[in-house]
């Protein structure tokens, strides 16, 4: 069990440990990573580590949850002022690609988490999907996009971002080119758009 | 360098080794897997292994390529008699989910390949994407679906299958429920469908 730090300084130290852990687990993988290396990079004493985490497993789990939280916060801030769902999709994708560019070990750490703690791995995707599906359901209720199963649509949209992020950010170390984002958005826009006015009645029961 | 077996029996032995390797790497992971365990499960002598592969790394690389080839063949057979691109998408997805159900270590082995040989990992996705994009480009030329960048569309569609396969086949050990496949297909159909007749001219330059 991690103890939640109550002071501002405690919170800062915990964050420093997590940031060091992101580098160490990302570069070395879970097995080769060590608490000694994490505290070395964080610049704190080994004893301090145990004020926050009990073990290598525990800081790894905390790291996956921390990255999940940071990613969702980063995307939420990027789309906070937007109303139109297609705008939200576009800017949310862009934010995701920027985040992956800044956190080049995100994919690796999340993927490896399935071998360390399957539950934390599933939770990473489930939390993303739940938030995503809630936003999509609101847009459906507001009549901005077609009605369909929000959870399935969330997984579809996460899958698109996942593979484009792999193809461009991980492999080419850059955000996807503008024309790639536009092509994906064109596909998504048609996929989620309301039916044209005249066709509305005919297709309302189709989904 | 692997030597290609020329006899039918040689081909069968190679395949037995690859099938054993799929289980062993899938269950134990690359690091804990051993040639001794692979030959034990394949029921061949250790010396026989070296007629086909030089090392654990080499059979692992061959396994990723073999699974990629088997997956593409499996999907190609499932859609061989179909003409309509949406039918091809639907049956291709279904075949993918069935294949993952039958090869429960596919994801794990492909994911781990990035840490063993990054090139073989990228090749796995690139080959899938290339074949997918070729089929999509043909459907665009035949006027079955809208024109857009075939490679980007291929990665989008692969991403959808990837996450739905994770969510349902890996996590629930079943093919996605019918309504999930229909919801995904509804999204994809609208995403790739030709514009309605009246709107064709207006949207032709839109993508």
């Amino acid at each position: 069990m991690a103890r939640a730090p109550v002071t501002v300084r405690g919170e800062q130290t915990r964050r420093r440990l997590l940031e060091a852990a992101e580098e160490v687990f990302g570069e070395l993988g879970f097995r080769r990573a060590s608490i000694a290396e994490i505290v070395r990079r964080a610049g704190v004493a080994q004893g301090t580590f145990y004020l926050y985490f009990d073990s290598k497993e525990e800081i790894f789990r905390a790291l996956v949850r921390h990255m999940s939280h940071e990613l969702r916060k980063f995307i939420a801030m990027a789309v906070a002022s937007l109303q139109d769902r297609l705008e939200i999709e576009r800017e949310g994708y862009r934010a995701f690609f920027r985040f992956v560019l800044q956190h080049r070990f995100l994919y690796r750490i999340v993927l490896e988490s399935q071998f360390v703690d399957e539950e934390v791995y599933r939770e990473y995707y489930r939390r993303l999907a739940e938030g995503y599906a809630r936003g999509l359901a609101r847009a459906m209720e507001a009549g901005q996009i077609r009605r369909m199963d929000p959870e399935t649509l969330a997984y579809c949209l996460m899958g698109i971002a996942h593979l484009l992020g792999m193809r461009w950010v991980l492999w080419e170390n850059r955000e996807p080119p503008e024309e790639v984002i536009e092509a994906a958005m064109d596909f998504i826009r048609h996929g989620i758009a309301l039916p044209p006015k005249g066709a509305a009645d005919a297709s309302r029961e189709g989904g």
Side-chain angles (χ1 to χ4, degrees), chain A:
Chain A
M1 274 294 297
R3 312 107 187 118
V6 285
T7 64
V8 171
R9 174 176 293 196
E11 188 50 61
Q12 281 172 349
T13 304
R14 186 173 189 276
R15 177 175 280 268
R16 254 205 348 258
L17 284 164
L18 288 170
E19 283 169 3
E22 183 177 336
E23 276 184 40
V24 173
F25 287 122
E27 284 172 20
L28 302 178
F30 180 77
R31 190 175 58 86
R32 291 197 295 142
S34 66
I35 292 173
E37 182 63 16
I38 292 170
V39 299
R40 196 185 68 74
R41 296 218 201 172
V44 306
Q46 186 121 358
T48 306
F49 177 91
Y50 292 100
L51 297 176
Y52 297 88
F53 306 101
D54 281 334
S55 63
K56 186 168 86 164
E57 282 76 10
E58 196 189 312
I59 192 171
F60 185 79
R61 275 193 290 269
L63 173 63
V64 174
R65 292 192 174 115
H66 174 69
M67 292 186 90
S68 163
H69 180 259
E70 293 290 301
L71 169 61
R72 286 177 284 127
K73 196 172 73 180
F74 191 81
I75 294 175
M77 282 175 63
V79 305
S81 66
L82 302 174
Q83 303 296 325
D84 178 69
R85 188 68 212 181
L86 196 79
E87 279 295 305
I88 291 175
E89 290 306 324
R90 187 194 308 270
E91 294 311 313
Y93 267 50
R94 279 192 211 283
F96 172 73
F97 299 133
R98 276 201 309 278
F99 188 89
V100 178
L101 202 56
Q102 289 164 19
H103 297 267
R104 63 202 169 106
F105 297 126
L106 174 71
Y107 275 53
R108 179 175 184 162
I109 288 166
V110 171
L111 291 179
E112 192 165 22
S113 73
Q114 73 188 292
F115 308 121
V116 176
D117 182 341
E118 169 95 25
E119 200 36 60
V120 101
Y121 170 69
R122 294 189 184 196
E123 181 188 296
Y124 173 87
Y125 284 103
R126 280 213 194 100
R127 288 225 176 140
L128 272 177
E130 279 166 16
Y132 213 143
R134 270 198 304 275
L136 291 167
R138 276 197 301 274
M140 288 173 199
E141 271 157 40
Q144 290 192 353
I145 63 176
R146 278 187 307 120
R147 284 193 182 276
M148 56 188 113
D149 174 27
E151 193 207 279
T152 297
L153 184 56
Y155 275 97
C156 289
L157 294 170
M158 284 162 56
I160 294 170
H162 180 76
L163 269 215
L164 291 178
M166 181 190 80
R167 164 75 180 80
W168 291 100
V169 187
L170 294 193
W171 292 358
E172 316 271 346
N173 201 30
R174 56 169 293 187
E175 294 175 42
E178 203 51 37
E179 61 269 26
V180 167
I181 292 187
E182 284 312 313
M185 283 302 139
D186 179 58
F187 169 60
I188 292 169
R189 178 165 50 92
H190 284 83
I192 65 179
L194 291 170
K197 281 280 155 52
D201 289 321
S203 66
R204 188 165 293 150
E205 303 303 314

